[in-house]
Structure formats: C-alpha cells, structure tokens
Amino acid sequence: MLRFVHTCILGLIAAGVVHLAIVFMLPDHTVRDAWSRISNAADYYQTIQLDARPDSPLRIDNPYFAGAACRFSLEDGLLHVRSEGKIPFWTLAIFDNRSQNTFSLNDRVAEDHSLDTILLTPIQMQRLKNDPSADLGQSLFVETDVVEGFVLVRAFIPDETWEPQVRAFLNSIRCEAVETQ
C-alpha cells in the first residue's frame, strides 16, 4: 500500500512539473502562429508568396504545392480575391485572426475554374442584395462572420513544366477591399 501511495505522489509531482513547463513555454509558441507571421511579413491586402524557403512566413513543405496569402479586414469593405490564368488545381482557405480555418473551397466550385471570390459579412451581403447597381460579375460569394483574418491560396504543381504557370497564377493574385454603401 505504501508503494502505491508513493507512486501516486511521484506521478502528481511529475504531472505538475510537466504542466508548469507547458505554461512557461506557451508564450513562446503563441507568437509563432500563422496570423502573427503573416502580420509581420505583410500589410493588409498585400499578397505574399509562400514556399519551402526557410525565410517564408508560412512554409509549404510539399514540393507539389505553392501558395500565396493576404491579410484582410472586412471593416474596410468586401474582400475581392482574384487571379489570372488557369492551373490544374487551386484551393482557397479563409482563416480568422487566431489562425483557425473557417472556410475552404477549391477550383471545382468556381465558374470556369478561375479564382474570383468575394468575401463578405452577412450584413454586407444584405446591403449588396439591396443595391441593384452593384455589379461584381461572375464572382463566387462567400459569406463569413470572420471580420479580420487572412486568405491562403494553394496551387498544385503536377510537375516542373507547370511551375512557371502556377507561379504566374500566384503572382497575379489580387486581394482588394471593395467599399460598400
């Protein structure tokens, strides 16, 4: 019985030490989240390229993918994300300012597989529906509660012959705030 009590006490002490170590390490790890790294690398609506380089704000270690990201604030208006060109496959993910993925889509839901997406809040969507003069073409509308966050576009590179076309696609990505009435 004494051995059992001794083992329990040692287990509790070890758990306490591990708990304290995690608490002390937490501040070091929280400043390295995706939102913080992108915030340090670029301003709002500025597109940055992401790849496997060590100095990239967000590394994409998969050699078959490249990416681009931009921060946004829907307080400035709608976010219009678009790019030129056609590539085999792309995905767009919306993250909040806690780096949590809130929405994802890919080229299969877009007309003509082109990247032309508008991100807006429910209130902005209602205003847009009530404005008959608003003409945003064939854009894909994504309604979200995320007011501040970032968009991550990843593109598939099937082989090295596609790399220039994929890089051109990612370099042509524009994230623009569109003011609403």
Side-chain angles (χ1 to χ4, degrees), residues 7 38 61 70 90 95 120-121 125 129 152 157 159 165:
T7 303
I38 289 176
D61 290 331
C70 70
W90 57 261
F95 293 84
L120 65 170
T121 64
M125 178 64 102
K129 286 180 182 177
L152 173 65
I157 307 169
D159 60 50
Q165 193 170 347

Side-chain angles (χ1 to χ4, degrees), residues 1-170:
M1 179 71 174
L2 188 58
R3 252 186 167 166
F4 177 72
V5 172
H6 185 262
T7 303
C8 287
I9 291 173
L10 284 177
L12 288 173
I13 291 172
V17 169
V18 168
H19 180 75
L20 283 175
I22 290 172
V23 167
F24 286 124
M25 289 183 341
L26 193 60
D28 184 47
H29 291 286
T30 57
V31 297
R32 292 191 213 159
D33 68 345
W35 171 258
S36 299
R37 290 183 286 172
I38 289 176
S39 297
N40 290 335
D43 203 5
Y44 287 102
Y45 311 107
Q46 181 183 354
T47 304
I48 55 173
Q49 301 302 309
L50 310 174
D51 52 32
R53 292 177 303 163
D55 62 337
S56 183
L58 284 179
R59 289 178 48 115
I60 296 181
D61 290 331
N62 188 332
Y64 294 106
F65 278 90
C70 70
R71 290 178 25 197
F72 65 86
S73 174
L74 294 181
E75 291 176 353
D76 299 331
L78 316 173
L79 175 68
H80 195 176
V81 181
R82 60 185 154 189
S83 185
E84 297 175 10
K86 302 283 189 253
I87 58 173
F89 179 76
W90 57 261
T91 66
L92 181 140
I94 299 164
F95 293 84
D96 63 13
N97 58 4
R98 295 184 321 235
S99 302
Q100 295 180 354
N101 188 347
T102 61
F103 189 83
S104 295
L105 61 97
N106 63 42
D107 67 333
R108 304 307 187 243
V109 299
E111 183 175 319
D112 199 24
H113 299 285
S114 61
L115 176 58
D116 187 3
T117 304
I118 294 181
L119 183 64
L120 65 170
T121 64
I123 292 171
Q124 291 168 331
M125 178 64 102
Q126 191 62 38
R127 287 184 194 146
L128 196 62
K129 286 180 182 177
N130 294 334
D131 184 10
S133 66
D135 180 28
L136 296 169
Q138 298 297 320
S139 300
L140 180 65
F141 288 82
V142 176
E143 195 173 310
T144 182
D145 291 329
V146 175
V147 175
E148 186 178 51
F150 67 95
V151 172
L152 173 65
V153 178
R154 291 181 299 166
F156 179 58
I157 307 169
D159 60 50
E160 63 273 350
T161 62
W162 279 95
E163 187 151 357
Q165 193 170 347
V166 169
R167 294 289 175 191
F169 175 84
L170 292 172

